Amino acid sequence: MQYLPPPNTDKVLAVGFGTAGCRVLSHLEKTNISIDNYAYMSCEKQDLKCSSAGKSLFIDIGFRGKSTPSHIRGVAQKYMREIRRILSGSRLVFLVAGLGGSTGSGLIPLVAEVAKEEGVLTISIITMPFGFEKSKHFYAGVSLKNVRKNSDAVIIIDNDIISSDKEQMPISRFYSLVNERISFALSRIVESSGELSVGLNSMVDTITNNGYTILSIGTSSSINKAEEATVKAVESVYSIVEPEEASSAILYLVGDKSIAANELNTSTSRLNTMLGKGALEVHQGFSTSGGETMTAILLASGFKTTKFDDYDPLEKILHNRQIDSDMECGIDDALSNLVQIE
Ligand SMILES: Nc1nc2c(ncn2[C@@H]2O[C@H](COP(=O)(O)OP(=O)(O)O)[C@@H](O)[C@H]2O)c(=O)[nH]1
Ligand SMILES: [Mg+2]
């Protein structure tokens, strides 16, 4: 009997969930990054308009005012066949969501679990809520833990950090700018272009290590701009994780044609003194297609915990002992109020 391989097993898929997930993914789609297929899933039809050529799956929760992540996960059980169909045949999937709301926080851990069952390498890319969005922290913390359990790698983007220099900007432009930055950073690392490229395979190698990965960006126009941009990117990470826990990193510099070899050298040496315990494995890339301002894109990886783990108060009380396998279920409304009386 002739052996026929399953169709499209070499494909790379990206799926966006909820409002933030769909918006970030649609920005990424516009960068022409080397992703073969796109899919969008949400309970709000508006989010699915982000999709141009991609597939979209509307999860119909009816007309409820406020929903919860576990309720949405429950409704999504009816769509399991469609979800498996979207995932099947992919070698690698990027799952993208903004945690803290109900849709993304509910769906991303569920789909990560299904992807694991289907044997698809799963990289979750998540944004964490702003510091002022206190009522969103609990759902985000619980979801983050479940995402990690079912993903081969988790890239965390802190909305506060990625936008820290743009707080004065009108809110209508704000999310769009944040999303542009995220997709710019990820596409530069994944795409195999520039004078020295990193590429998808090296990225996957660097971040699949059972720890969290943090994405940050630093910019500078000073004389030592490569080094200063690098230092800024690393310092952002300090507020989220324990820097010594880093085991690997990707540093990608984008500047103009005046980047000198020794600048790359100094930036990497500086990175080694600031992250890890002297044995940081650094992957470097650079491109001279940018402007006068130097941008350092950093993916730092291997962190066992982050400040966001404290967003789930149950974790501290129970120390990894679970009430049941779907912990939010039934108690999530009561517990989301806990955050507000801290
Ligand atoms: N980076 C980014 N974050 C967003 C965007 N839209 C919403 N968020 C944040 O994402 C979190 C979840 O919100 P949302 O995506 O609306 O929830 P969901 O639709 O229920 O999954 C909140 O902390 C928002 O501040 C966006 O376009 N970009
Ligand atoms: Mg929404």
Side-chain angles (χ1 to χ4, degrees):
M1 197 173 72
Q2 198 187 356
Y3 171 73
L4 288 175
N8 298 333
T9 43
D10 61 335
K11 298 288 185 206
V12 177
L13 168 72
V15 190
F17 304 90
T19 308
C22 290
R23 286 197 204 144
V24 170
L25 191 61
S26 74
H27 272 82
L28 207 56
E29 197 174 341
K30 286 182 201 122
T31 64
N32 281 328
I33 191 176
S34 50
I35 290 174
D36 302 293
N37 297 313
Y38 289 84
Y40 294 78
M41 292 186 201
S42 188
C43 308
E44 289 164 273
K45 288 202 168 138
Q46 186 65 28
D47 298 337
L48 302 175
K49 290 188 183 150
C50 287
S51 160
S52 54
K55 290 179 196 158
S56 54
L57 180 62
F58 174 56
I59 309 277
D60 191 355
I61 57 167
F63 292 100
R64 266 174 68 112
K66 189 174 174 282
S67 194
T68 63
S70 54
H71 171 73
I72 288 174
R73 254 201 308 281
V75 175
Q77 294 300 327
K78 283 192 286 187
Y79 297 85
M80 272 319 193
R81 229 160 24 146
E82 284 93 332
I83 292 173
R84 281 187 198 277
R85 202 174 302 141
I86 286 171
L87 291 170
S88 73
S90 297
R91 160 174 75 96
L92 167 67
V93 63
F94 289 105
L95 305 178
V96 188
L99 302 192
S102 297
T103 308
S105 304
L107 293 178
I108 191 170
L110 173 75
V111 177
E113 195 175 354
V114 178
K116 194 178 186 183
E117 283 166 19
E118 298 281 328
V120 186
L121 190 73
T122 305
I123 298 178
S124 296
I125 302 171
I126 48 146
T127 67
M128 290 308 279
F130 294 97
F132 67 83
E133 295 181 300
K134 287 238 183 287
S135 64
K136 292 191 159 52
H137 291 186
F138 173 63
Y139 285 162
V142 174
S143 185
L144 176 63
K145 218 167 41 189
N146 291 327
V147 168
R148 184 185 185 184
K149 216 183 304 166
N150 292 305
S151 305
D152 295 284
V154 181
I155 300 177
I156 297 178
I157 299 151
D158 184 359
N159 264 347
D160 273 332
I161 281 179
I162 212 85
S163 64
S164 58
D165 57 334
K166 295 287 178 213
E167 280 150 7
Q168 303 291 326
M169 180 173 268
I171 195 79
S172 55
R173 265 284 296 142
F174 183 77
Y175 277 132
S176 172
L177 178 109
V178 171
N179 299 344
E180 262 164 43
R181 280 193 178 170
I182 296 170
S183 52
F184 167 78
L186 292 172
S187 62
R188 284 304 173 120
I189 289 173
V190 170
E191 74 185 14
S192 298
S193 68
E195 281 72 4
L196 180 64
S197 60
V198 176
L200 185 58
N201 289 343
S202 299
M203 183 181 96
V204 171
D205 259 9
T206 308
I207 65 175
T208 44
N209 54 26
N210 293 320
Y212 289 112
T213 300
I214 312 288
L215 173 74
S216 69
I217 298 174
T219 56
S220 169
S221 309
S222 75
I223 300 175
N224 282 330
K225 52 189 175 185
E227 188 178 351
E228 194 176 289
T230 304
V231 169
K232 282 188 185 167
V234 182
E235 280 175 352
S236 308
V237 170
Y238 281 11
S239 61
I240 308 176
V241 285
E242 179 55 57
E244 285 205 337
E245 285 181 2
S247 55
S248 52
I250 292 171
L251 176 65
Y252 195 99
L253 296 169
V254 186
D256 60 16
K257 294 213 162 29
S258 66
I259 301 185
N262 71 324
E263 287 186 83
L264 298 174
N265 209 342
T266 334
S267 314
T268 311
S269 310
R270 195 64 196 272
L271 180 63
N272 264 295
T273 64
M274 295 178 77
L275 283 181
K277 288 189 198 133
L280 188 73
E281 203 181 295
V282 183
H283 234 97
Q284 217 181 32
F286 69 90
S287 160
T288 57
S289 65
E292 226 172 272
T293 302
M294 180 75 72
T295 304
I297 302 163
L298 177 69
L299 271 184
S301 193
F303 303 103
K304 293 183 189 70
T305 55
T306 72
K307 74 165 187 187
F308 306 118
D309 292 282
D310 295 342
Y311 282 5
D312 170 12
L314 276 184
E315 178 72 16
K316 276 193 191 154
I317 302 164
L318 297 171
H319 302 294
N320 278 332
R321 281 172 291 145
Q322 295 207 342
I323 294 175
D324 67 39
S325 60
D326 193 3
M327 225 202 260
E328 294 146 284
C329 230
I331 52 170
D332 49 6
D333 280 330
L335 278 166
S336 66
N337 294 331
L338 253 187
V339 180
Q340 286 156 1
I341 51 169
E342 66 185 359

